[in-house]
Amino acid sequence: MATTSLGGGAGGDDRVLATAQQIVKSLRAAKEDREDMLLIFSTFDNRLSGISDLINGDDSKSSEEEELDRFEAAEKVILADASLSDEPSRQSTSLFKPPNNPAEYFSAVDEIIHWMEQFSIAPPSSAVGRTGPVIADRAENAIQLAMSRLEDELRHVLICNTIPLDAVSRYGSIRRVSLSFSSHDGAIDDTLESFGEVGSSRFHERGASLGDDLFVDLVRPEAVQDLREIIDRMVRSGYERECLQVYSSVRRDALDECLVTLGVERLSIEEVQRVEWRSLDEKMKNWVQAVKVLVGVLLSGEKRLCDGLFGDLDDLKEICFNETAKGCVMQLLNFGEAISICKRSPEKLFRILDMYEALRDAMPDLQAMVSDEFVIGEAYGVLSGLGEAAKGTFAEFENCIRNETSKKPVITGDVHPLPRYVMNYLKLLVDYGDPMDSLLEISEEDLYRFKNDLGGDVSQLEAMSPLGQRILLLISELEYNLEEKSRLYEDSAMQQVFLMNNLYYLVRKVKDSDLGKVLGDNWIRKRRGQIRQYATGYLRASWSRALSCLKDEGIGGSSNNASKVTLKERFKSFNACFEEIYRVQTAWKVPDDQLREELRISISEKVIPAYRSFVGRFGSQLAGRHSVKYIKYTAEDLETYLLDLFEGSPAVLHYIRRKST
């Protein structure tokens, strides 16, 4: 078929070419599509065969066309990635792994962002002509696809590059073992037999402070730049909200996993209050370590990570960090609140103080990092609650001691379980002098009782720290209680031994611990004087009758018959007294080796010289085959038998009985 002529002459040809050129340009089609159109036009009229050169020449001169080409190329990269990402085989492929080219993709996103920024400055119609609205829609679609891809990529990179908290290197290595008290279920029973000497198996671990130089990476360093690239594009595209949601969600989950590694469970207040003590003690210990690690290591690491990724975007990184930290902080605070309102019993005090100290020490750093006023307000509220719980728990301990009125005496006169329990408790409490001094105060009622009921020196009390005052009051209450318990013994000698044993125990515990610094040397000197008084009281009560048998009064002349009768009676009485003392007091117990030896020496110094002198003066008057019936023991025998006293073992009585038969 012949081609159609669109006009005649040179002017007509020019008009035809101009019209065709305008039609092609107005379509704003891709370059390949325009070439196809020109080929079609040239089949209609041979005058259009030169239009290709005109169009191509015009392309090389139009910056608008160059921008459009770049837009189309960027759009093509994003659309191609989106179409491939829809395939099942590509859904899990990271942008940063082959065959993907992250640099090309980010460059494409940058180009689309550039166009979007242009549209925000000038209306689409003025920016790219009459096709502007179409380009704007295409750019919006491309940016939505790109942001969906980058949102997934942000989540993927964060999850895959999170460094898990290693329970051994991050937690185990920063613990130290120290003494802290752990008892049974709290109430002091009638016999107090369950509160003996606290062995090492009943000490629990108390956390150490973390060093200022402790530093950890929470995300692999090689992934940080990739994350910056993603975050930068999302923020510039106006997708800050989506970026924040993804980032804080992933990092929040990572911190939750860290708490699990540290042994912290998510429990409601009601669940915490139902946990039995042994398990609760472990949870409280884990909480203390978790607070130190969370604030000192994890949150400081999160803060550095946020600062590094969000750079100068101060508002965004602040919100992002707060949202990330809030969940794990509130989880710890909820547990702390539950502990602060739990039933108070003495065995919980040291764990509560551990918790109080950990949170108190963490507060400056926590407040410096977290700007959420609600979270900080809750933290101060829990800190106050733990302080009140510590005060109330200590008051409960004081009441237990004050009201302990068991009527069952220790049959051997040994140290009562009550001072064992109290002194081991107080030895540990001294380690918490700093928090206790800030929490405790002494009342007028306490001062009155100390002065009038306990006979204490108020001036000494007023010169002490708050914890020292309460310790002095408590030990004074304990001494008063022991005095009352000594009255349970009918034997006055055993009363003295009981008081001597228990007071000596108190002095030794004070002297061998930091309690000595609290109570002072004067307290120790006074109690040692009391111990000597108790020893003197024991000698008087136990040995006065036996020693009276060794006096000269009433015996008469050395050759008087009546004096021999009296001598026989004196020796028989002494033997009976000694054997009774031996029978009874070998069953008594003085547990301290040094005190037991000192007491035996005191007895020996009183008895042996008097006996040796009496036998030396009057023994010859009973000479004869029956003298052994009266002078049954030598002074050396008595010294040997005195070594058996206060061993708490009455089985040795058989030896004396065989001797006396």
Side-chain angles (χ1 to χ4, degrees), residues 181-189 192 194-195 202 277-278 343-349 393 396-401 404 421 425:
F181 191 82
S182 175
S183 77
H184 300 269
D185 292 331
I188 301 179
D189 60 30
L192 283 165
S194 58
F195 297 102
R202 293 175 61 197
W277 165 240
R278 189 179 297 276
K343 180 183 177 182
R344 292 168 182 171
S345 52
E347 77 277 6
K348 295 177 182 175
L349 177 60
T393 303
E396 184 66 24
F397 171 69
E398 290 177 310
N399 290 333
C400 285
I401 305 311
E404 201 291 305
Y421 172 63
Y425 199 97

mmCIF file of all heavy atoms in Angstrom, residues 181-189 192 194-195 202 277-278 343-349 393 396-401 404 421 425:
data_model
loop_
_atom_site.group_PDB
_atom_site.id
_atom_site.type_symbol
_atom_site.label_atom_id
_atom_site.label_comp_id
_atom_site.label_asym_id
_atom_site.label_seq_id
_atom_site.Cartn_x
_atom_site.Cartn_y
_atom_site.Cartn_z
ATOM 1 N N PHE A 181 22.317 -13.863 104.712
ATOM 2 C CA PHE A 181 21.602 -14.791 105.585
ATOM 3 C C PHE A 181 20.411 -15.408 104.879
ATOM 4 O O PHE A 181 19.674 -14.755 104.176
ATOM 5 C CB PHE A 181 21.123 -14.048 106.827
ATOM 6 C CG PHE A 181 20.608 -14.970 107.889
ATOM 7 C CD1 PHE A 181 21.471 -15.607 108.749
ATOM 8 C CD2 PHE A 181 19.258 -15.196 108.016
ATOM 9 C CE1 PHE A 181 20.991 -16.444 109.726
ATOM 10 C CE2 PHE A 181 18.780 -16.037 108.998
ATOM 11 C CZ PHE A 181 19.648 -16.657 109.852
ATOM 12 N N SER A 182 20.241 -16.680 105.085
ATOM 13 C CA SER A 182 19.081 -17.375 104.542
ATOM 14 C C SER A 182 18.612 -18.368 105.579
ATOM 15 O O SER A 182 19.326 -19.286 105.942
ATOM 16 C CB SER A 182 19.468 -18.111 103.260
ATOM 17 O OG SER A 182 18.392 -18.871 102.793
ATOM 18 N N SER A 183 17.422 -18.169 106.096
ATOM 19 C CA SER A 183 16.942 -19.066 107.152
ATOM 20 C C SER A 183 15.792 -19.902 106.640
ATOM 21 O O SER A 183 15.624 -20.101 105.463
ATOM 22 C CB SER A 183 16.521 -18.242 108.367
ATOM 23 O OG SER A 183 15.279 -17.641 108.137
ATOM 24 N N HIS A 184 14.987 -20.327 107.564
ATOM 25 C CA HIS A 184 13.858 -21.171 107.191
ATOM 26 C C HIS A 184 12.660 -20.288 106.873
ATOM 27 O O HIS A 184 12.797 -19.281 106.222
ATOM 28 C CB HIS A 184 13.577 -22.161 108.317
ATOM 29 C CG HIS A 184 14.769 -23.033 108.578
ATOM 30 N ND1 HIS A 184 14.963 -24.236 107.959
ATOM 31 C CD2 HIS A 184 15.852 -22.847 109.384
ATOM 32 C CE1 HIS A 184 16.099 -24.787 108.389
ATOM 33 N NE2 HIS A 184 16.648 -23.968 109.239
ATOM 34 N N ASP A 185 11.517 -20.647 107.342
ATOM 35 C CA ASP A 185 10.326 -19.911 106.953
ATOM 36 C C ASP A 185 10.061 -18.679 107.788
ATOM 37 O O ASP A 185 9.020 -18.069 107.669
ATOM 38 C CB ASP A 185 9.100 -20.833 106.988
ATOM 39 C CG ASP A 185 9.183 -21.885 105.914
ATOM 40 O OD1 ASP A 185 9.801 -21.626 104.873
ATOM 41 O OD2 ASP A 185 8.630 -22.967 106.139
ATOM 42 N N GLY A 186 10.990 -18.326 108.656
ATOM 43 C CA GLY A 186 10.914 -17.008 109.267
ATOM 44 C C GLY A 186 10.538 -16.974 110.721
ATOM 45 O O GLY A 186 11.222 -16.367 111.518
ATOM 46 N N ALA A 187 9.481 -17.599 111.130
ATOM 47 C CA ALA A 187 9.026 -17.475 112.515
ATOM 48 C C ALA A 187 9.986 -18.196 113.445
ATOM 49 O O ALA A 187 10.523 -19.245 113.133
ATOM 50 C CB ALA A 187 7.629 -18.062 112.658
ATOM 51 N N ILE A 188 10.223 -17.615 114.599
ATOM 52 C CA ILE A 188 11.087 -18.245 115.589
ATOM 53 C C ILE A 188 10.230 -19.174 116.440
ATOM 54 O O ILE A 188 9.314 -18.750 117.119
ATOM 55 C CB ILE A 188 11.763 -17.185 116.472
ATOM 56 C CG1 ILE A 188 12.589 -16.244 115.586
ATOM 57 C CG2 ILE A 188 12.617 -17.811 117.531
ATOM 58 C CD1 ILE A 188 13.263 -15.151 116.346
ATOM 59 N N ASP A 189 10.563 -20.448 116.374
ATOM 60 C CA ASP A 189 9.704 -21.397 117.091
ATOM 61 C C ASP A 189 10.067 -21.422 118.574
ATOM 62 O O ASP A 189 10.951 -20.724 119.043
ATOM 63 C CB ASP A 189 9.799 -22.793 116.459
ATOM 64 C CG ASP A 189 11.209 -23.339 116.487
ATOM 65 O OD1 ASP A 189 11.952 -22.981 117.417
ATOM 66 O OD2 ASP A 189 11.549 -24.124 115.593
ATOM 67 N N LEU A 192 13.703 -22.797 119.091
ATOM 68 C CA LEU A 192 14.744 -22.145 118.298
ATOM 69 C C LEU A 192 15.834 -23.105 117.850
ATOM 70 O O LEU A 192 16.923 -22.704 117.510
ATOM 71 C CB LEU A 192 15.382 -20.981 119.084
ATOM 72 C CG LEU A 192 14.544 -19.723 119.148
ATOM 73 C CD1 LEU A 192 15.078 -18.805 120.235
ATOM 74 C CD2 LEU A 192 14.578 -18.996 117.818
ATOM 75 N N SER A 194 16.010 -24.650 115.195
ATOM 76 C CA SER A 194 16.298 -24.519 113.771
ATOM 77 C C SER A 194 17.239 -23.376 113.472
ATOM 78 O O SER A 194 17.699 -23.220 112.358
ATOM 79 C CB SER A 194 14.996 -24.312 112.989
ATOM 80 O OG SER A 194 14.323 -23.166 113.469
ATOM 81 N N PHE A 195 17.535 -22.546 114.494
ATOM 82 C CA PHE A 195 18.369 -21.375 114.252
ATOM 83 C C PHE A 195 19.729 -21.544 114.914
ATOM 84 O O PHE A 195 20.113 -20.790 115.791
ATOM 85 C CB PHE A 195 17.686 -20.111 114.761
ATOM 86 C CG PHE A 195 16.415 -19.830 114.032
ATOM 87 C CD1 PHE A 195 15.185 -20.134 114.604
ATOM 88 C CD2 PHE A 195 16.441 -19.295 112.775
ATOM 89 C CE1 PHE A 195 14.015 -19.886 113.927
ATOM 90 C CE2 PHE A 195 15.275 -19.047 112.089
ATOM 91 C CZ PHE A 195 14.059 -19.346 112.663
ATOM 92 N N ARG A 202 24.225 -22.135 104.128
ATOM 93 C CA ARG A 202 23.070 -21.266 104.261
ATOM 94 C C ARG A 202 23.406 -19.816 103.920
ATOM 95 O O ARG A 202 22.623 -18.918 104.142
ATOM 96 C CB ARG A 202 22.529 -21.351 105.689
ATOM 97 C CG ARG A 202 21.944 -22.717 105.993
ATOM 98 C CD ARG A 202 21.533 -22.816 107.445
ATOM 99 N NE ARG A 202 20.516 -21.857 107.780
ATOM 100 C CZ ARG A 202 20.226 -21.507 109.028
ATOM 101 N NH1 ARG A 202 20.904 -22.016 110.010
ATOM 102 N NH2 ARG A 202 19.278 -20.626 109.273
ATOM 103 N N TRP A 277 9.364 -19.644 99.810
ATOM 104 C CA TRP A 277 10.539 -18.830 100.102
ATOM 105 C C TRP A 277 11.799 -19.284 99.376
ATOM 106 O O TRP A 277 12.541 -18.469 98.824
ATOM 107 C CB TRP A 277 10.802 -18.793 101.608
ATOM 108 C CG TRP A 277 12.172 -18.279 101.924
ATOM 109 C CD1 TRP A 277 13.157 -18.922 102.581
ATOM 110 C CD2 TRP A 277 12.718 -16.996 101.572
ATOM 111 N NE1 TRP A 277 14.280 -18.131 102.665
ATOM 112 C CE2 TRP A 277 14.029 -16.947 102.050
ATOM 113 C CE3 TRP A 277 12.213 -15.888 100.889
ATOM 114 C CZ2 TRP A 277 14.861 -15.839 101.881
ATOM 115 C CZ3 TRP A 277 13.040 -14.776 100.715
ATOM 116 C CH2 TRP A 277 14.338 -14.759 101.204
ATOM 117 N N ARG A 278 12.093 -20.555 99.344
ATOM 118 C CA ARG A 278 13.342 -21.019 98.741
ATOM 119 C C ARG A 278 13.423 -20.600 97.279
ATOM 120 O O ARG A 278 14.467 -20.134 96.807
ATOM 121 C CB ARG A 278 13.458 -22.538 98.869
ATOM 122 C CG ARG A 278 14.833 -23.070 98.471
ATOM 123 C CD ARG A 278 14.871 -24.579 98.660
ATOM 124 N NE ARG A 278 14.679 -24.949 100.048
ATOM 125 C CZ ARG A 278 15.652 -24.982 100.945
ATOM 126 N NH1 ARG A 278 16.874 -24.644 100.603
ATOM 127 N NH2 ARG A 278 15.404 -25.344 102.183
ATOM 128 N N LYS A 343 4.446 -10.430 102.361
ATOM 129 C CA LYS A 343 4.436 -10.632 103.804
ATOM 130 C C LYS A 343 5.846 -10.515 104.344
ATOM 131 O O LYS A 343 6.786 -11.087 103.799
ATOM 132 C CB LYS A 343 3.860 -12.012 104.132
ATOM 133 C CG LYS A 343 3.804 -12.304 105.622
ATOM 134 C CD LYS A 343 3.283 -13.717 105.881
ATOM 135 C CE LYS A 343 3.290 -14.033 107.368
ATOM 136 N NZ LYS A 343 2.837 -15.412 107.641
ATOM 137 N N ARG A 344 6.013 -9.778 105.436
ATOM 138 C CA ARG A 344 7.338 -9.507 105.969
ATOM 139 C C ARG A 344 7.758 -10.588 106.951
ATOM 140 O O ARG A 344 7.017 -10.916 107.868
ATOM 141 C CB ARG A 344 7.369 -8.137 106.640
ATOM 142 C CG ARG A 344 7.220 -7.017 105.627
ATOM 143 C CD ARG A 344 6.957 -5.683 106.248
ATOM 144 N NE ARG A 344 6.787 -4.656 105.224
ATOM 145 C CZ ARG A 344 6.386 -3.428 105.452
ATOM 146 N NH1 ARG A 344 6.077 -3.065 106.694
ATOM 147 N NH2 ARG A 344 6.263 -2.561 104.469
ATOM 148 N N SER A 345 8.953 -11.103 106.746
ATOM 149 C CA SER A 345 9.522 -12.083 107.667
ATOM 150 C C SER A 345 11.039 -11.899 107.661
ATOM 151 O O SER A 345 11.617 -11.511 106.644
ATOM 152 C CB SER A 345 9.129 -13.508 107.264
ATOM 153 O OG SER A 345 9.435 -13.755 105.910
ATOM 154 N N PRO A 346 11.692 -12.159 108.803
ATOM 155 C CA PRO A 346 13.107 -11.786 108.960
ATOM 156 C C PRO A 346 14.036 -12.335 107.896
ATOM 157 O O PRO A 346 15.000 -11.677 107.525
ATOM 158 C CB PRO A 346 13.451 -12.349 110.340
ATOM 159 C CG PRO A 346 12.158 -12.336 111.084
ATOM 160 C CD PRO A 346 11.113 -12.677 110.062
ATOM 161 N N GLU A 347 13.778 -13.536 107.387
ATOM 162 C CA GLU A 347 14.724 -14.133 106.450
ATOM 163 C C GLU A 347 14.796 -13.385 105.126
ATOM 164 O O GLU A 347 15.737 -13.555 104.349
ATOM 165 C CB GLU A 347 14.375 -15.612 106.201
ATOM 166 C CG GLU A 347 13.205 -15.859 105.265
ATOM 167 C CD GLU A 347 11.868 -15.770 105.975
ATOM 168 O OE1 GLU A 347 11.850 -15.401 107.162
ATOM 169 O OE2 GLU A 347 10.849 -16.067 105.349
ATOM 170 N N LYS A 348 13.824 -12.522 104.848
ATOM 171 C CA LYS A 348 13.814 -11.808 103.573
ATOM 172 C C LYS A 348 14.640 -10.521 103.594
ATOM 173 O O LYS A 348 14.877 -9.924 102.537
ATOM 174 C CB LYS A 348 12.367 -11.458 103.188
ATOM 175 C CG LYS A 348 11.486 -12.656 102.921
ATOM 176 C CD LYS A 348 10.060 -12.227 102.620
ATOM 177 C CE LYS A 348 9.154 -13.431 102.408
ATOM 178 N NZ LYS A 348 7.741 -13.051 102.224
ATOM 179 N N LEU A 349 15.065 -10.090 104.778
ATOM 180 C CA LEU A 349 15.658 -8.759 104.896
ATOM 181 C C LEU A 349 16.868 -8.566 103.992
ATOM 182 O O LEU A 349 16.991 -7.550 103.303
ATOM 183 C CB LEU A 349 16.056 -8.490 106.350
ATOM 184 C CG LEU A 349 16.757 -7.135 106.585
ATOM 185 C CD1 LEU A 349 15.854 -5.981 106.186
ATOM 186 C CD2 LEU A 349 17.178 -7.003 108.040
ATOM 187 N N THR A 393 10.680 -5.130 107.671
ATOM 188 C CA THR A 393 11.193 -6.478 107.902
ATOM 189 C C THR A 393 12.151 -6.505 109.089
ATOM 190 O O THR A 393 12.138 -7.440 109.903
ATOM 191 C CB THR A 393 11.902 -6.997 106.637
ATOM 192 O OG1 THR A 393 10.988 -6.960 105.536
ATOM 193 C CG2 THR A 393 12.386 -8.425 106.829
ATOM 194 N N GLU A 396 10.171 -6.393 112.135
ATOM 195 C CA GLU A 396 9.607 -7.718 112.401
ATOM 196 C C GLU A 396 10.641 -8.607 113.089
ATOM 197 O O GLU A 396 10.317 -9.364 114.016
ATOM 198 C CB GLU A 396 9.162 -8.357 111.082
ATOM 199 C CG GLU A 396 8.478 -9.706 111.230
ATOM 200 C CD GLU A 396 7.139 -9.626 111.943
ATOM 201 O OE1 GLU A 396 6.510 -8.536 111.934
ATOM 202 O OE2 GLU A 396 6.729 -10.650 112.520
ATOM 203 N N PHE A 397 11.884 -8.521 112.648
ATOM 204 C CA PHE A 397 12.968 -9.268 113.293
ATOM 205 C C PHE A 397 13.121 -8.838 114.751
ATOM 206 O O PHE A 397 13.243 -9.684 115.655
ATOM 207 C CB PHE A 397 14.264 -9.027 112.520
ATOM 208 C CG PHE A 397 15.492 -9.557 113.199
ATOM 209 C CD1 PHE A 397 15.712 -10.914 113.321
ATOM 210 C CD2 PHE A 397 16.432 -8.686 113.719
ATOM 211 C CE1 PHE A 397 16.851 -11.403 113.951
ATOM 212 C CE2 PHE A 397 17.573 -9.156 114.350
ATOM 213 C CZ PHE A 397 17.777 -10.521 114.457
ATOM 214 N N GLU A 398 13.104 -7.532 115.011
ATOM 215 C CA GLU A 398 13.216 -7.032 116.385
ATOM 216 C C GLU A 398 12.081 -7.551 117.255
ATOM 217 O O GLU A 398 12.296 -7.956 118.402
ATOM 218 C CB GLU A 398 13.203 -5.502 116.374
ATOM 219 C CG GLU A 398 14.456 -4.870 115.782
ATOM 220 C CD GLU A 398 14.363 -3.367 115.729
ATOM 221 O OE1 GLU A 398 13.341 -2.848 115.232
ATOM 222 O OE2 GLU A 398 15.302 -2.694 116.173
ATOM 223 N N ASN A 399 10.887 -7.557 116.691
ATOM 224 C CA ASN A 399 9.730 -8.044 117.460
ATOM 225 C C ASN A 399 9.857 -9.530 117.771
ATOM 226 O O ASN A 399 9.475 -9.978 118.854
ATOM 227 C CB ASN A 399 8.436 -7.778 116.680
ATOM 228 C CG ASN A 399 8.096 -6.302 116.629
ATOM 229 O OD1 ASN A 399 8.471 -5.535 117.520
ATOM 230 N ND2 ASN A 399 7.396 -5.891 115.587
ATOM 231 N N CYS A 400 10.388 -10.281 116.818
ATOM 232 C CA CYS A 400 10.575 -11.720 117.051
ATOM 233 C C CYS A 400 11.513 -11.957 118.228
ATOM 234 O O CYS A 400 11.282 -12.837 119.061
ATOM 235 C CB CYS A 400 11.142 -12.383 115.794
ATOM 236 S SG CYS A 400 9.955 -12.610 114.465
ATOM 237 N N ILE A 401 12.581 -11.170 118.299
ATOM 238 C CA ILE A 401 13.547 -11.341 119.392
ATOM 239 C C ILE A 401 12.930 -10.882 120.711
ATOM 240 O O ILE A 401 13.049 -11.543 121.750
ATOM 241 C CB ILE A 401 14.829 -10.542 119.093
ATOM 242 C CG1 ILE A 401 15.408 -10.949 117.738
ATOM 243 C CG2 ILE A 401 15.848 -10.731 120.206
ATOM 244 C CD1 ILE A 401 15.529 -12.427 117.528
ATOM 245 N N GLU A 404 10.323 -13.407 121.979
ATOM 246 C CA GLU A 404 10.693 -14.817 122.074
ATOM 247 C C GLU A 404 10.731 -15.215 123.555
ATOM 248 O O GLU A 404 11.622 -14.807 124.299
ATOM 249 C CB GLU A 404 12.060 -15.023 121.418
ATOM 250 C CG GLU A 404 12.335 -16.466 120.989
ATOM 251 C CD GLU A 404 12.522 -17.390 122.166
ATOM 252 O OE1 GLU A 404 13.380 -17.108 123.021
ATOM 253 O OE2 GLU A 404 11.790 -18.396 122.237
ATOM 254 N N TYR A 421 21.250 -17.253 116.519
ATOM 255 C CA TYR A 421 20.462 -16.704 115.412
ATOM 256 C C TYR A 421 20.649 -15.194 115.296
ATOM 257 O O TYR A 421 20.946 -14.649 114.226
ATOM 258 C CB TYR A 421 18.991 -17.064 115.646
ATOM 259 C CG TYR A 421 18.016 -16.419 114.688
ATOM 260 C CD1 TYR A 421 18.066 -16.683 113.334
ATOM 261 C CD2 TYR A 421 17.029 -15.561 115.162
ATOM 262 C CE1 TYR A 421 17.165 -16.111 112.466
ATOM 263 C CE2 TYR A 421 16.122 -14.967 114.308
ATOM 264 C CZ TYR A 421 16.189 -15.249 112.949
ATOM 265 O OH TYR A 421 15.301 -14.671 112.091
ATOM 266 N N TYR A 425 22.744 -13.075 112.378
ATOM 267 C CA TYR A 425 21.911 -12.131 111.626
ATOM 268 C C TYR A 425 22.550 -10.739 111.641
ATOM 269 O O TYR A 425 22.690 -10.079 110.616
ATOM 270 C CB TYR A 425 20.523 -12.099 112.259
ATOM 271 C CG TYR A 425 19.413 -11.554 111.390
ATOM 272 C CD1 TYR A 425 18.580 -12.413 110.683
ATOM 273 C CD2 TYR A 425 19.175 -10.195 111.300
ATOM 274 C CE1 TYR A 425 17.537 -11.920 109.913
ATOM 275 C CE2 TYR A 425 18.138 -9.688 110.534
ATOM 276 C CZ TYR A 425 17.319 -10.560 109.840
ATOM 277 O OH TYR A 425 16.297 -10.060 109.079
#
